[in-house]
Amino acid sequence: MQGFETSVSVGRILVCGSGLATEMTVAALAAHLPPHVAILRVDAGDQRGSDLFYGSVTAPSAYAFNLSVGVDERRLILDSDTSFSWGTRYADWGGRGWMQGFALPFPVIDGVQLHQYLTMVGADGVTPYVAGVQAARRGVFVHPPREGDGQHPLARAEYGYQFDPADYAALFAAAVPAGRVERVAGSVVGVDVAEGVIAGVRLDDGTQVRADLYVDCSGPAAMLLSAMACDWLGDRRIGITVEDRASTDEAPLRTVRVSPDGWQSETPLKGRVRHMRVSTEGSVEAPIGRRSRGWVGNCVGIGQAVAMVEPLTPAPMMLLERDIERLLTLIPSRQEMGVEAREYDRRFADDHDHADLFQRTFFTAEELPDGPYWQAAKAQAVPEKLARKLAMFAERGVLVAYDLEPFHPEDWTILHLGLGLRPIRHDRLADRADPARVRQFLSKMAGEIEAAVTKLPPARVYRAQLEQYLKRGMV
């Protein structure tokens, strides 16, 4: 994301909310908007409960997003309980288990994708060739090498973060320069709408606050968008219950297991493990789905104000980051915001619906329980786009992709193979290669990765040493 250098006529932006989405949005606006654009924020109730729906793991995209808004990894390591993550291990999902690891694009050899060669030689899955997966299995971690060492076995590894939403939000709050954002006293109790736009928001002390652009980060309540008559699409509801337990385990992976009434996860953080249970009931409940529009009039929704996503994958955080990035690219330059609103809505709908394809794929597994949660999840229709993805991979190993999908081809490859989907046929261009040489190449690749990860330190040790190094550098 780049900062804005041109002047804008929108001089006052009001952010309404109190949770993670609010802190991330305010930090992004403060980092990228010119000083003459006033940024105001006003509380909208306690969102710590609904923030649990953002889950406990990010995608690798979090590193660049955080850095762009002033949250570098030093602050994350020193000032929070956030830990490193190679991905999520689905220990028991439909009778299958696999590691959904992060990775840079897999090698393309002579114009043929890696998994096509795996199919040709009858290899059992892709995980031996994913460095992060092998490191996760051993509980080890180091930052993957990048520039100047592209041939290193770990060079294609990617990592995200395991986090507590409240802990994570505090990092963004601390990144905002003093005096850059005006915090308005009081909480929103009403919204005044006139001629299809918000004229102002009313606070609990009776005052009205006005702005040119209103950003709704108020979570599922969507206090501003709800006043704009924006329809909700989706009828599933789920509940979440979370419990933290002290632990020295800092394994760089989240573990998910199926249970009769839903699923549960364990996410190691610094000094504790977060246990999450998802079913039809929980200490916090919410509908799953999205709004028909994300930008109405002069009001734009961010995060859970426009979509509630089940935290089965990193999708909730990926979509939140994309909402904020999209807002930054579409900050209006005039009071008429129709062009920006239409583009925001198009990209918002595509992002959510494409992420939803990835999530729905999990529920196409054959051996899943039959409780209420599972009945509702499996009753969802398989969209035509997903049916095409599944059919083309099963028939020919073809990875059908749509424009700017949140999940990348390597994510889909690992998911398809993890769920037991094996292509019937492979790309005939792969037949140009000698099968014996392909097996030799694959064996060498897997062996180099295994040899490299055996030398890595446990994630807990690596973090402790990194923490000491960073503290010495700050003295």
Side-chain angles (χ1 to χ4, degrees):
M1 295 181 294
Q2 299 296 321
F4 293 86
E5 298 179 357
T6 58
S7 61
V8 293
S9 62
V10 172
R12 284 169 62 88
I13 298 177
L14 184 143
V15 180
C16 172
S18 309
L20 177 58
T22 302
E23 302 298 355
M24 291 176 65
T25 301
V26 168
L29 293 175
H32 292 281
L33 292 182
H36 66 266
V37 178
I39 304 170
L40 297 79
R41 61 171 294 174
V42 60
D43 288 340
D46 188 346
Q47 292 171 225
R48 286 174 295 182
S50 62
D51 276 356
L52 297 177
F53 283 83
Y54 285 117
S56 57
V57 64
T58 77
S61 59
Y63 177 89
F65 178 92
N66 293 355
L67 195 61
S68 75
V69 302
V71 178
D72 63 35
E73 207 166 73
R74 293 175 301 170
R75 296 270 63 87
L76 183 146
I77 296 299
L78 296 174
D79 299 340
S80 79
D81 291 344
T82 305
S83 60
F84 298 111
S85 178
W86 292 121
T88 296
R89 178 169 67 105
Y90 295 91
D92 175 18
W93 192 275
R96 301 192 61 83
W98 77 98
M99 174 76 188
Q100 188 71 35
F102 305 127
L104 290 174
F106 296 143
V108 176
I109 306 167
D110 291 336
V112 179
Q113 294 172 310
L114 178 67
H115 70 274
Q116 297 286 1
Y117 290 107
L118 298 178
T119 302
M120 183 184 77
V121 301
D124 186 22
V126 72
T127 55
Y129 318 103
V130 184
V133 169
Q134 300 309 313
R137 286 177 167 175
R138 292 177 177 268
V140 298
F141 186 87
V142 295
H143 282 87
R146 288 293 184 252
E147 296 181 7
D149 204 3
Q151 299 304 312
H152 192 283
L154 296 177
R156 291 183 178 271
E158 284 274 75
Y159 70 94
Y161 301 117
Q162 294 166 181
F163 72 101
D164 170 347
D167 191 37
Y168 205 58
L171 295 170
F172 294 92
V176 178
R180 180 63 184 94
V181 176
E182 177 186 347
R183 186 152 197 159
V184 181
S187 297
V188 174
V189 295
V191 182
D192 297 322
V193 178
E195 299 180 355
V197 298
I198 295 178
V201 297
R202 284 175 280 112
L203 306 183
D204 50 7
D205 63 1
T207 62
Q208 184 191 62
V209 181
R210 296 186 177 186
D212 301 309
L213 177 66
Y214 296 83
V215 183
D216 192 344
C217 297
S218 62
M223 299 188 70
L224 306 188
L225 273 178
S226 295
M228 307 297 283
C230 191
D231 296 334
W232 181 263
L233 308 177
D235 54 10
R236 281 187 68 213
R237 288 188 66 87
I238 64 170
I240 287 180
T241 300
V242 164
E243 178 185 1
D244 287 345
R245 300 173 190 169
S247 174
T248 58
D249 177 25
E250 204 169 319
L253 75 160
R254 179 182 66 150
T255 300
V256 170
R257 291 182 173 86
V258 164
S259 62
D261 59 351
W263 56 269
Q264 53 192 10
S265 66
E266 297 177 359
T267 308
L269 305 172
K270 179 185 177 183
R272 55 190 168 119
V273 172
R274 167 146 293 191
H275 296 260
M276 176 182 291
R277 295 184 297 278
V278 175
S279 64
T280 54
E281 299 178 349
S283 58
V284 185
E285 298 179 11
I288 299 301
R290 68 169 175 86
R291 295 191 179 277
S292 58
R293 297 182 61 188
W295 189 321
V296 184
N298 59 349
C299 179
V300 56
I302 298 291
Q304 294 171 350
V306 285
M308 291 295 297
V309 182
E310 186 165 2
L312 180 60
T313 73
M317 288 300 294
M318 296 166 69
L319 294 176
L320 174 56
E321 291 167 4
R322 286 195 169 206
D323 284 351
I324 297 170
E325 291 169 340
R326 191 182 311 116
L327 170 62
L328 289 175
T329 63
L330 294 172
I331 293 291
S333 58
R334 61 192 189 285
Q335 297 298 321
E336 167 53 45
M337 305 176 188
V339 171
E340 292 82 3
R342 286 190 291 274
E343 180 62 9
Y344 188 94
D345 287 344
R346 181 187 70 83
R347 290 161 58 184
F348 151 69
D350 281 351
D351 281 349
H352 178 276
D353 293 352
H354 288 153
D356 188 54
L357 297 182
F358 193 81
Q359 303 246 119
R360 288 196 189 204
T361 305
F362 283 81
F363 301 105
T364 63
E366 295 182 358
E367 300 178 20
L368 293 172
D370 292 321
Y373 166 90
W374 297 103
Q375 290 177 4
K378 290 184 286 187
Q380 301 175 104
V382 175
E384 189 272 337
K385 283 185 174 182
L386 177 55
R388 185 182 303 138
K389 279 179 175 283
L390 296 173
M392 288 300 293
F393 191 85
E395 288 291 327
R396 306 191 63 89
V398 172
L399 293 166
V400 175
Y402 305 106
D403 290 346
L404 303 176
E405 286 190 55
F407 289 95
H408 301 149
E410 58 274 13
D411 301 317
W412 280 99
T413 300
I414 295 172
L415 178 59
H416 285 319
L417 296 175
L419 286 170
L421 199 60
R422 296 292 186 271
I424 298 173
R425 295 183 291 275
H426 61 268
D427 187 340
R428 290 308 175 192
L429 293 179
D431 291 334
R432 296 176 300 182
D434 177 5
R437 293 191 65 183
V438 171
R439 291 189 181 92
Q440 183 180 26
F441 170 82
L442 293 174
S443 177
K444 181 174 182 290
M445 183 179 179
E448 289 176 346
I449 290 174
E450 183 177 4
V453 299
T454 58
K455 301 175 183 178
L456 303 184
R460 177 177 53 82
V461 172
Y462 180 79
R463 179 197 168 105
Q465 293 174 344
L466 178 60
E467 203 168 331
Q468 292 175 5
Y469 171 78
L470 293 174
K471 287 178 179 178
R472 286 198 302 269
M474 298 177 66
V475 175

